[in-house]
Each structure stands twice: as structure tokens, then as C-alpha cells.
Amino acid sequence: MAAKPPIHVTVTGAAGQIGYALLFRIASGALFGPDQRVVLRLLEIEPGMQALEGVVMEIDDCAFPLVSDIVTTTDLDTAFDGTSWALLVGSIPRKAGMERGDLLTVNGGIFGPQGQAIANNAASDVRVLVVGNPCNTNCLIARSSAPEVPADRWFAMTRLDENRAKTQLAQKAGVPVASVTNLAIWGNHSATQFPDVANARIDGKPAAEVIDDDGWLQGDFLTTVQKRGAAIIEARGLSSAASAANAAIGSVAAIHNGTAGDDWTSLAVVSNGEYGVPQGLQFGFPIRANGAGGWTVVEGLTHDEFATERIRVTTEELAAERDDVAALLP
Ligand code: NAD
Ligand code: LMR
């Protein structure tokens, strides 16, 4: 049988921390499987190019059989030429004491031109995952700048929050993390996000019944997940990188391979008004994917008064971020 053609994958900010944790996993087959070759298209700004050369030497030195070619560039058209997956990581991370939203003015301007370059150059099946913060609104900016690319191809990353929440629940319940399923992150990848325990399951049972400690679930659990990024910056002096790269792999793989059975994954996607969320916001929802590129927001989940209020707060924050970047939206 003829070998499958390679998939072109663009990673922006490829010489950064997340890039360093991400590229080797893509190259090893962790993203698309052991029989799928890839072309790595790596975008950096000029000051990052020397470090990127070193990263490429290391990829070369791994002799990965799945890497067909590596393109390094500072040029947007070259970076996105023929790409099927664009992972938009390159941007400035926050420092201790900042909220992710404080980065909007610093990073927002990166994503409009990248969106346009994706529309002009990418493959017709292109899909985009925005990781650079504040990722929901950066994704909104990129998507709005590329109306030629269907709105359902744009994703912002809430999978890291999902993974964090699952581990907190598993540790509290004393079960392996794989026992925790159906964990939805609603809204913004920010301190207002809402990790939804009421609809989560532990070994198939409602997670809130297994844990049976509403004080913890609505208190320490919630704030630990909401503020985990800040806790890592405090401890490491740098923002999360390996866990962020791992979540990017999980996000893309969920769309590429599909979600399993009754389970779902958390991704921020364009709102079509589901659950009363204003149309057009890039909003964290539970998603089921069919493995052929199609996905749907999981419908019919119910929210009690506590959850409804938390989802209202994160929705308002995203609406305010959209208003703040109005000048960057065509
Ligand atoms: P980093 O500073 O280590 O690397 C960023 C890289 O991007 C640098 O090499 C820089 O040269 C490059 N860059 C800057 N502007 C660019 C541009 N216009 N085009 C191309 N490249 C550019 O940062 P990092 O730790 O890798 O984090 C990257 C981003 O990811 C930050 O915004 C961070 O807050 C965000 N992040 C998001 C999540 C999430 O869950 N969504 C998790 C962790 C980090
Ligand atoms: C994270 O959640 O770790 C990242 O978004 C980095 C940050 O600024 O918190």
C-alpha cells in the first residue's frame, strides 16, 4: 500500500518553552499515530531563530522516521503554506501577579495577521488550535480575520484545565485519573473558568456523589483549578510548558481521532448560542468529535444555580474581552 502523504503541521513560537515540549511529541508520532509522517513548519520571530536552529538540530539528532521535512521561517505565508493543523503558541506568557487577560494588548495584535495568512495559504482542511494567551479571545481575533475558513475549524485550549480538574478529583476520590470522565470546562481559559463537577463521572457514577463534599467542590477544588496556571508560575518562575504541550496534543488528537463513546473533551469553540452563550464568542464547551473532523457541542446538560452563576460570570468576561479587542476585529 502507498504511504500516506505527510500532514503539514505549523507550530508558532516553536523555539519557546511549549514548542520545546511539543515538537518532539509531534515528531515521534504522539499526535497522528505511528504511521503518519509529518512536515514541521516552524514559525519564530527573528530573535528566536537562533534558538530554533538548535531545536531543529535536536529533532534531526533524534532521527525520527516520521519527520519528512522541517521548515523554519519568520514569514507567515511560508509558515502556513499547505498546513492542515496550525498550533498558534507563539506569544508572550504572563508573569507572576498578572491575569491572562492582561496579555490582550501585548498578544492580541499577533493573531489577526496569522488568521489572514492561514486563510491565504493553508490547506483546505486546515484546523487551528490557539494556545497563546488569552487563548479564547486570541482565537476569536484570528477566526474573525479569516472568514474564508469555516468557523468550526477554530479551537482554543481548555484541555489543560480539564486535565487539571480530573487529577484533583481523582486524588480526592483516591482513584486512578482514568476513572474520571465527562469533565467539562465552561467558558474562558482564565480564573473565571467553570470546571463542571455536577456533570462529571467517576467510574461511571456522578462525581459529586462519589466525593460528597460540596464545600470542597465549590471551594478549594474550584479555586485550585482556576488558579493552577498562576500557582505554576509562582513555583517555577515560568508558565506551564510540558503540561500545556500535553494538552495541545490531547486537544488535536481528540478532533483527529474522535472522542470515545459517551465521553467528551473540553475545547473552546465558536458559540452558536448553545446554553444561551452569545453567538460568536470562542467559548469553552464539552465537545464530542466523530474522528472525521466533525464535532458537536454536547447538548442537554443541566446546571444548578451555582453552576449557572459561574457560567454567567465567565460569559461576561469573554464578552468584555471581545469588546476590548473591537479594534482588532474586522
Ligand atoms: P515562551 O516565551 O517560552 O515562548 C514563546 C515563543 O513565541 C518565543 O520563542 C517567542 O520568540 C515566540 N514568539 C513571540 N511572538 C511571536 C510571533 N508574533 N510569532 C511567532 N513567534 C512568536 O512562552 P511559552 O511558555 O511557550 O508560552 C507561549 C504562550 O502559551 C503564552 O501566551 C502562554 O501564556 C500560553 N499558554 C497557554 C496555555 C493554555 O492552556 N492555553 C498553557 C500554557 C501557556
Ligand atoms: C496555564 O494555564 O498554565 C497557562 O495559561 C499559563 C498561565 O498564564 O496561566
Side-chain angles (χ1 to χ4, degrees):
M1 199 172 69
K4 292 193 271 185
I7 296 179
H8 289 237
V9 186
T10 302
V11 177
T12 73
Q17 291 199 87
I18 295 175
Y20 194 70
L22 184 57
L23 295 178
F24 297 86
R25 293 193 62 191
I26 299 173
S28 71
L31 193 52
F32 300 123
D35 63 349
Q36 177 60 62
R37 291 172 303 138
V38 290
V39 173
L40 298 173
R41 312 192 72 84
L42 309 180
L43 179 74
E44 258 299 340
I45 49 174
E46 201 54 55
M49 284 309 274
Q50 188 183 334
L52 185 58
E53 270 175 40
V55 175
V56 170
M57 286 185 227
E58 284 209 68
I59 298 173
D60 284 343
D61 295 350
C62 292
F64 287 119
L66 294 175
V67 176
S68 286
D69 195 9
I70 306 174
V71 177
T72 62
T73 184
T74 58
D75 175 60
L76 293 182
D77 294 337
T78 309
F80 295 114
D81 186 20
T83 205
S84 290
W85 267 102
L87 311 185
L88 307 188
V89 180
S91 50
I92 308 301
R94 66 172 161 156
K95 308 282 182 304
M98 294 170 77
E99 288 300 331
R100 298 181 189 97
D102 298 336
L103 294 171
L104 255 190
T105 43
V106 187
N107 287 337
I110 295 174
F111 291 86
Q114 291 190 355
Q116 285 160 14
I118 288 169
N120 292 340
N121 298 283
S124 58
D125 66 349
V126 67
R127 292 182 167 75
V128 184
L129 176 71
V130 179
V131 175
N133 278 320
C135 60
N136 298 59
T137 298
N138 288 337
C139 189
L140 167 73
I141 294 168
R143 192 190 84 222
S144 306
S145 307
E148 304 87 339
V149 179
D152 67 354
R153 306 284 190 80
W154 300 83
F155 307 94
M157 195 164 92
T158 47
R159 174 76 174 230
L160 179 53
D161 309 300
E162 173 188 330
N163 290 345
R164 288 167 170 166
K166 281 179 167 170
T167 297
Q168 293 301 314
L169 294 180
Q171 289 177 353
K172 180 76 171 177
V175 297
V177 72
S179 297
V180 185
T181 61
N182 303 83
L183 196 302
I185 302 292
W186 297 84
N188 203 0
H189 172 64
S190 77
T192 68
Q193 68 179 269
F194 180 59
D196 179 1
V197 179
N199 287 300
R201 301 195 159 256
I202 296 179
D203 291 322
K205 301 185 207 74
E209 277 176 28
V210 174
I211 289 182
D212 194 22
D213 183 347
D214 283 352
W216 181 79
L217 288 172
Q218 296 184 1
D220 279 357
F221 164 75
L222 187 65
T223 50
T224 297
V225 177
Q226 289 176 329
K227 297 187 176 163
R228 188 65 157 191
I232 289 167
I233 292 169
E234 191 66 35
R236 248 170 55 86
L238 288 168
S239 69
S240 64
S243 56
N246 180 62
I249 298 278
S251 304
V252 174
I255 296 297
H256 187 73
N257 301 328
T259 47
D262 205 32
D263 203 359
W264 57 62
T265 193
S266 298
L267 274 169
V269 297
V270 61
S271 167
N272 291 309
E274 296 91 343
Y275 296 93
V277 173
Q279 290 207 354
L281 289 185
Q282 197 76 27
F283 195 89
F285 282 117
I287 299 298
R288 286 203 181 98
N290 65 9
W295 54 266
T296 50
V297 171
V298 177
E299 307 249 30
L301 300 177
T302 54
H303 297 120
D304 63 11
E305 213 175 300
F306 179 78
T308 303
E309 174 57 12
R310 303 262 55 86
I311 292 172
R312 184 190 66 74
V313 168
T314 197
T315 305
E316 278 188 3
E317 183 182 51
L318 277 171
E321 285 186 14
R322 180 184 56 189
D323 293 347
D324 287 347
V325 300
L328 297 174
L329 302 177

